Amino acid sequence: MESAGLQSNGFAVIIDVRTDKEWNQQRIPGAIHIPLDELESRVDELKAFEGKQLIMQCAVGGRSSDAVEILQQAGFNNASNMDGGIVAWNKAKLPVE
């Protein structure tokens, strides 16, 4: 999965936009948790990652797609959606915690 390679090489950061309950059950190591309903009010936190790809992640890709739109409207041109979300991550047998 391309997202894993970009993250492990320091070129990207994964932003998990799922709920607190989902995050507490399972998450991608190194991901940053900002629930979708808090994203607009916390968008300034992401300026710290300037120059890196922001990979938005949820369960299967719907909410993270909405998150990409929010960031694009806020002026970020480095946001992308993790197709398949954590479900695809698990299918690829990538690490979770």
Side-chain angles (χ1 to χ4, degrees):
M1 189 170 211
E2 184 182 1
S3 299
L6 290 170
Q7 179 195 34
S8 66
N9 290 324
F11 296 121
V13 62
I14 296 173
I15 311 296
D16 188 328
V17 297
R18 298 175 304 149
T19 65
D20 289 339
K21 182 179 178 184
E22 290 170 297
W23 167 264
N24 289 330
Q25 289 173 345
Q26 184 181 66
R27 62 191 158 272
I28 295 171
I32 294 166
H33 184 226
I34 302 178
L36 183 60
D37 62 357
E38 297 176 17
L39 185 59
E40 282 187 71
S41 65
R42 295 177 61 186
V43 75
D44 284 347
E45 294 175 34
L46 300 178
K47 291 179 181 171
F49 303 109
E50 190 172 347
K52 293 189 179 194
Q53 183 70 26
L54 300 176
I55 302 171
M56 310 311 289
Q57 171 256 313
C58 64
V60 294
R63 288 172 286 177
S64 53
S65 179
D66 293 343
V68 169
E69 287 185 32
I70 290 168
L71 292 183
Q72 287 173 341
Q73 290 172 1
F76 287 83
N77 60 3
N78 59 336
S80 62
N81 185 24
M82 181 188 293
D83 291 329
I86 200 163
V87 170
W89 186 274
N90 282 325
K91 281 185 182 174
K93 297 188 175 12
L94 291 164
V96 291
E97 53 185 30

